[in-house]
Amino acid sequence: MRESLTTRSAARSRTGSRSRWRKILAHNLAAYLFLLPALILFATFSWYPIARGFIISFQRIDLINPPQWVGLDNFRHVLSDPLFFRAWRNTLQFTLLALLLGYLVPVVLAIAVNEMRHARAYFRLAFYLPVILPPMVTILLWKWFYDPGPGLANSVLRLLGLSQQPWLQSPRTAMFSLVIMSTWANAGGTMLLYLAALQGIPAHLYDAAEIDGANLWQRLIHITLPQIRTVMLILLVLQIIGTMQVFTEPFVMTDGGPVNATITVLLLLYRYAFKFQNFGAASALGLILFVVLVIFSLLYLWLTRKTMSNEL
């Protein structure tokens, strides 16, 4: 008798659960139908290439014969390549230099523009203009800047009586030159994000600080930076992820030279795929980079959730 009651109770529970799911589905059916095309496109152009790249990293593909399963051979080939560690070192060097230079410049620009009483909109537009330029136009413009002959950079140095520099021709200065160009091209967009965060700081905090006699530096240290630290932290992680995927600048300006001084992980991946037709090695290298970026993405999610929980 007790077993029969338990069975009927479980059946009623399953029936109630199905009924609840039907109600939820019927209530959100229109939303799911609107979402379906986006999910199909996202799965076709984002998830499928990721899954396909994961499979190819364990295969040998020559575009003539059927793919062959080779296990970890592609990873052994990539790890035994001397350029693998050189590419990672250059990528990390670019990331570090971009953080030292490119991370602080937008913060300083945003604070300076925010403190202006006049022509704020003009300077906001002026600093954002490089972001509007297509990347190839920006790169070709800076190739002329760095031209060892009539280039603008060396022309300015000659006017100042300083020695000319082999900006892109020397392994010592090539990577730093790329970082300067990348900072100039991208600082405007990040500056706008910081400006939006600065606009959200309550004005009464600055009013109270001025009544207490705080100067500009003290307001910056005790009010401005603490109030935008959440945005700064998130943009720091996003910048690390973005700079570790640098490709266009070294590909167009230096092609990884001189003497492989600017070869990056993505540039090495491009060479595997489109110069050596070794798609398995290219996918293996892409998978390694993917794992590294997933770690940074998890760090980003953890920081976001932690800051949101602290603000509640």
Side-chain angles (χ1 to χ4, degrees):
M1 182 65 181
R2 177 177 297 176
E3 183 178 353
S4 175
L5 289 174
T6 305
T7 305
R8 284 199 295 271
S9 176
R12 282 197 299 270
S13 177
R14 286 195 296 271
T15 304
S17 178
R18 284 196 294 268
S19 176
R20 188 167 57 252
W21 278 109
R22 287 196 195 96
K23 289 181 180 177
I24 294 174
L25 182 61
H27 182 71
N28 299 294
L29 182 60
Y32 292 147
L33 289 177
F34 278 111
L35 191 61
L36 187 60
L39 285 176
I40 293 175
L41 289 175
F42 201 74
T44 304
F45 296 105
S46 294
W47 296 337
Y48 175 73
I50 292 175
R52 186 63 182 152
F54 178 79
I55 295 173
I56 292 176
S57 65
F58 297 96
Q59 292 179 331
R60 179 180 293 115
I61 296 178
D62 55 13
L63 301 181
I64 298 175
N65 300 306
Q68 293 180 340
W69 188 264
V70 295
L72 298 176
D73 284 357
N74 290 323
F75 293 92
R76 294 191 189 96
H77 174 75
V78 169
L79 293 174
S80 63
D81 188 347
L83 287 179
F84 173 78
F85 295 101
R86 184 66 181 269
W88 274 103
R89 191 183 71 180
N90 290 341
T91 301
L92 294 176
Q93 182 185 8
F94 183 90
T95 302
L96 180 62
L97 290 174
L99 287 178
L100 291 176
L101 183 63
Y103 183 67
L104 293 178
V105 168
V107 179
V108 174
L109 288 178
I111 293 174
V113 172
N114 193 56
E115 291 292 331
M116 290 179 178
R117 295 291 181 265
H118 304 286
R120 182 185 298 179
Y122 167 76
F123 282 103
R124 191 184 305 167
L125 175 64
F127 289 127
Y128 189 71
L129 273 179
V131 183
I132 300 174
L133 292 176
M136 287 302 298
V137 175
T138 300
I139 290 172
L140 293 176
L141 180 67
W142 277 83
K143 283 192 78 171
W144 172 72
F145 282 177
Y146 288 142
D147 191 295
L152 179 64
N154 280 338
S155 298
V156 172
L157 291 179
R158 281 195 297 270
L159 287 175
L160 298 175
L162 301 175
S163 59
Q164 302 179 48
Q165 297 296 322
W167 300 101
L168 297 177
Q169 290 71 36
S170 169
R172 185 173 55 85
T173 57
M175 185 61 78
F176 188 70
S177 302
L178 295 182
V179 172
I180 293 176
M181 186 214 68
S182 179
T183 301
W184 179 86
N186 300 306
T190 311
M191 182 200 71
L192 287 186
L193 297 177
Y194 285 123
L195 265 177
L198 291 172
Q199 299 293 324
I201 299 178
H204 65 82
L205 295 178
Y206 291 109
D207 295 337
E210 289 183 1
I211 292 174
D212 292 339
N215 56 32
L216 178 63
W217 178 253
Q218 290 171 328
R219 294 200 302 271
L220 175 67
I221 295 297
H222 298 291
I223 298 177
T224 304
L225 293 181
Q227 288 291 321
I228 64 171
R229 70 177 185 279
T230 302
V231 177
M232 292 180 68
L233 192 59
I234 293 173
L235 289 179
L236 172 66
V237 179
L238 291 178
Q239 184 171 345
I240 291 174
I241 293 174
T243 51
M244 290 189 71
Q245 300 181 69
V246 58
F247 171 75
T248 308
E249 292 88 346
F251 175 67
V252 179
M253 296 191 74
T254 61
D255 195 22
V259 202
N260 294 318
T262 58
I263 187 170
T264 61
V265 174
L266 281 191
L267 187 54
L268 182 60
L269 187 153
Y270 170 84
R271 289 183 179 179
Y272 280 145
F274 299 106
K275 281 193 174 181
F276 310 130
Q277 282 76 46
N278 192 343
F279 299 101
S283 297
L285 182 57
L287 186 59
I288 294 172
L289 179 62
F290 175 77
V291 171
V292 174
L293 294 181
V294 164
I295 294 174
F296 279 108
S297 299
L298 292 176
L299 176 63
Y300 164 73
L301 291 175
W302 176 75
L303 289 173
T304 304
R305 290 178 179 176
K306 185 177 180 181
T307 50
M308 289 179 67
S309 62
N310 290 336
E311 290 176 353
L312 293 177

